[in-house]
Amino acid sequence: MEIAKRLQGVGEYYFSKKLREIDELNKQGKKVINLGIGSPDLPPHPEVIKTLQEEAAKPNVHGYQNYKGSPVLRKAYADWYRNWYGVTLDPETEILPLIGSKEGIMHICMTYLNEGDAALVPNPGYPTYGSNVKIAGGITINYELTAANHYQPDLEKLELLDLSKVKLLFVNYPQMPTGQLPDMGVFERLVAFAKKHHILIVHDNPYSFILNDHPVSLLSIDGAKDVVIELNSLSKSHNMAGWRLGMLAGVADRINEVLRFKSNMDSGMFLPMQLAAAKALMLGKEWYDEVNAVYRARREKVHELLNLLGCAYSREQAGMFLWASVPEAYKDGYELADAILYKANVFITPGGIFGTAGDRYIRISLCGSVERFDEAIQRVKEALKK
Ligand SMILES: Cc1ncc(COP(=O)(O)O)c(C=O)c1O
């Protein structure tokens, strides 16, 4: 069957292919340690699970839900934004619950991009931005993030481009995969840039609570609401990746525009899950501290592993990955990742899958126990001896 033109140039998602290769190795008895994917291995808070169980046992919660989500969940998101980010959102009009923030990226592209419209996308960055822009018929213009510019967009360089076709600018801080923290000065300049060029900024903010003591929303910048919409997610902050819980925040017009597309795509979310999500959003500082204590211990192990591999990295990274440059001996991150996969049965992600600017990097996920990291370190030590 001939596939639609919109999928030309959009490959199968890297991890979906790589996981098949890892499955094959596992069938051969290799027991690969996967340090690739950022799916939290820790459970959600017990109260969250209890809420889901109790609510799911009720007879009247199983029907279709409101397209804009439960008012209880929208209020919980608004309280969360006020308490943690100092941002005021109207729960009635400025919040749209999503089935994960990943789907929100597609909704946004489908809502705003006409054939030939362009979107600025970070390189390296989350691959979904570029693929969704393409699927929606848009053109991706990559902007490079380099260690030399602290992985911040070079707005002076962007000013030199023809921006007439650009409608969207994707940004993401703490940045995945580089772990770069947000910079308020850069945020202010981004808002001014978007206003000057009539561009809508999409800030993707799923990592602000992981290994970061100061969660920041781009919406907290003065006047940002005019030009910014922000995606957020419970996947990482609350260990609920498989539940598929995300949200979009922005002014009422933007929310209604995106809802116009989204309401044609899905029919809302299971109410008990929304109520459990509201519970998760009410958790206090102890929750985040507890989760981060675990990630901090793991990060030490990953530093050890990276030292062993001779990689260079910053110790100031936020989010649930470590980003590191590969030593000269390797052509690129792919070569290092394959060497480790086939010699040590440890999978790490080559940085190139996040864009060409990541070619000389690797990314290691913190989603594994300290014991697993110890085992990975042991295996790599053995492999390096050979
Ligand atoms: C930068 C970034 N944005 C969005 C997502 C998607 O998260 P969600 O589970 O909310 O769809 C991810 C997931 O890995 C991510 O790394």
Side-chain angles (χ1 to χ4, degrees), residues 88-287:
T88 305
L89 296 169
D90 181 342
E92 288 301 315
T93 58
E94 296 188 319
I95 288 170
L96 180 61
L98 299 171
I99 306 171
S101 55
K102 187 174 184 178
E103 70 142 15
I105 297 167
M106 180 62 92
H107 297 332
I108 291 163
C109 291
M110 294 299 274
T111 301
Y112 294 108
L113 297 176
N114 281 316
E115 197 80 25
D117 283 343
L120 288 160
V121 169
N123 171 18
Y126 185 43
T128 301
Y129 308 137
S131 59
N132 286 8
V133 167
K134 275 190 209 136
I135 292 170
I139 296 164
T140 298
I141 303 177
N142 284 304
Y143 65 90
E144 262 195 28
L145 303 176
T146 62
N149 67 16
H150 304 285
Y151 300 114
Q152 303 289 351
D154 183 342
L155 295 179
E156 278 171 24
K157 210 163 151 189
L158 289 185
E159 292 274 359
L160 302 175
L161 299 176
D162 173 8
L163 297 171
S164 58
K165 289 263 190 310
V166 175
K167 284 188 86 177
L168 300 176
L169 163 56
F170 284 91
V171 280
N172 155 230
Y173 291 97
Q175 215 263 342
M176 198 295 295
T178 63
Q180 178 63 49
L181 282 161
D183 174 312
M184 296 312 268
V186 175
F187 272 10
E188 279 167 17
R189 290 196 289 282
L190 271 168
V191 168
F193 175 85
K195 286 190 176 178
K196 180 172 166 196
H197 297 285
H198 306 288
I199 292 171
L200 179 63
I201 295 181
V202 183
H203 183 229
D204 185 19
N205 198 12
Y207 293 105
S208 51
F209 287 90
I210 310 296
L211 294 176
N212 176 27
D213 294 333
H214 304 289
V216 172
S217 163
L218 183 44
L219 291 168
S220 66
I221 301 293
D222 264 353
K225 272 192 184 174
D226 296 341
V227 286
V228 174
I229 52 178
E230 184 162 281
L231 291 161
N232 217 316
S233 169
L234 273 66
S235 293
K236 328 285 173 171
S237 54
H238 295 83
N239 297 333
M240 295 170 83
W243 293 50
R244 313 308 301 131
L245 293 160
M247 60 93 78
L248 179 67
V251 290
D253 283 350
R254 296 298 87 71
I255 295 297
N256 286 331
E257 288 153 5
V258 174
L259 182 61
R260 195 156 152 185
F261 177 77
K262 179 176 156 62
S263 58
N264 282 288
M265 282 293 301
D266 66 65
S267 301
M269 292 145 77
F270 187 39
L271 181 61
M273 248 177 47
Q274 297 192 54
L275 300 176
K279 192 75 171 182
L281 292 164
M282 289 172 208
L283 294 170
K285 186 172 177 297
E286 327 73 67
W287 164 256

Side-chain angles (χ1 to χ4, degrees), residues 69-102:
S70 150
V72 176
L73 178 56
R74 276 187 272 116
K75 180 175 180 307
Y77 273 127
D79 291 345
W80 191 55
Y81 256 73
R82 195 189 51 248
N83 294 340
W84 292 97
Y85 299 113
V87 170
T88 305
L89 296 169
D90 181 342
E92 288 301 315
T93 58
E94 296 188 319
I95 288 170
L96 180 61
L98 299 171
I99 306 171
S101 55
K102 187 174 184 178

